[in-house]
Amino acid sequence: MPDKSETTPEPTSEPTAEPLSEATDLRAALAALSRRVDSLEGARAAPPASSLWALDELRRRRAQHPSTAEGAVLLSGSVTLPDGTPVEWQQGASSAELLASEWGERSAAFAALGHPVRVELLRHVLNGVRGTAELAAIESLGTTGQLHHHLRQLLGAGWLRQSARGSYEVPASRVVPLLVCLAAVGE
């Protein structure tokens, strides 16, 4: 008769070294995978929206350009005019260069905007009223002689250009700066 102790192993409460090592490795791999997933999900999450997004980007780029170390200004806009014409424009400048430049040379452009009829005239042209006859029919723009005087002032300062005989338009390079001027002075 066989001995019972030889055929039936005794139960043990101690795990063997091999399964313990495998479980530890699985836990470590799971923890590493969890950290990686958290990292990837965090990278995809959108940063908090800033109401000063253009300024944030200007600050970031400013550090990359020695000419803007002391500061920079940026005018930018994306506009669809009432006639459907898209206008996108951007201009940046070093604040040091602007502060050192001769401002008197720029006064003519500002002076041309200094008359309420000229500003109103530009508004009408941007809204699609471009012909001299159409503009002359608008009472608030004055007489035909006054209208031609204001048109010459705006043409000379670059706020308008003649697109055809008797027809005017605001150059694309002036649309956004004009709207920025209006936005800058508020309501």
Side-chain angles (χ1 to χ4, degrees):
M1 183 173 210
D3 186 350
K4 221 177 184 181
S5 63
E6 288 179 23
T7 59
T8 310
E10 289 199 25
T12 177
S13 62
E14 303 262 338
T16 62
E18 190 174 309
L20 180 61
S21 173
E22 188 177 311
T24 302
D25 290 347
L26 284 173
R27 281 190 198 102
L30 181 59
L33 185 57
S34 292
R35 285 191 302 273
R36 178 75 176 135
V37 167
D38 290 345
S39 169
L40 290 172
E41 286 178 351
R44 282 195 318 222
S50 169
S51 62
L52 302 175
W53 53 269
L55 183 57
D56 292 341
E57 182 64 16
L58 179 61
R59 280 189 199 117
R60 188 186 71 74
R61 289 177 178 238
R62 193 179 127 193
Q64 299 171 0
H65 301 282
S67 67
T68 59
E70 296 177 30
V73 294
L74 177 67
L75 302 174
S76 179
S78 177
V79 178
T80 301
L81 297 177
D83 68 358
T85 303
V87 178
E88 291 186 327
W89 187 83
Q90 173 178 303
Q91 179 180 353
S94 156
S95 60
E97 291 173 8
L98 286 173
L99 292 169
S101 69
E102 291 295 324
W103 289 11
E105 298 169 358
R106 300 165 194 233
S107 64
F110 287 116
L113 297 177
H115 196 287
V117 171
R118 291 185 201 133
V119 177
E120 183 69 8
L121 177 54
L122 288 168
R123 185 178 71 80
H124 284 291
V125 172
L126 279 176
N127 278 294
V129 182
R130 297 201 170 122
T132 306
E134 296 170 295
L135 292 166
I138 301 170
E139 278 188 42
S140 63
L141 299 180
T143 66
T144 303
Q146 291 169 329
L147 173 63
H148 284 286
H149 167 74
H150 293 304
L151 287 169
R152 279 193 305 277
Q153 295 296 312
L154 292 168
L155 285 164
W159 292 108
L160 281 180
R161 74 172 168 217
Q162 220 167 353
S163 55
R165 184 174 168 92
S167 184
Y168 300 90
E169 66 185 11
V170 177
S173 63
R174 290 294 190 134
V175 171
V176 171
L178 177 61
L179 296 175
V180 166
C181 287
L182 290 170
V185 297
E187 293 184 28

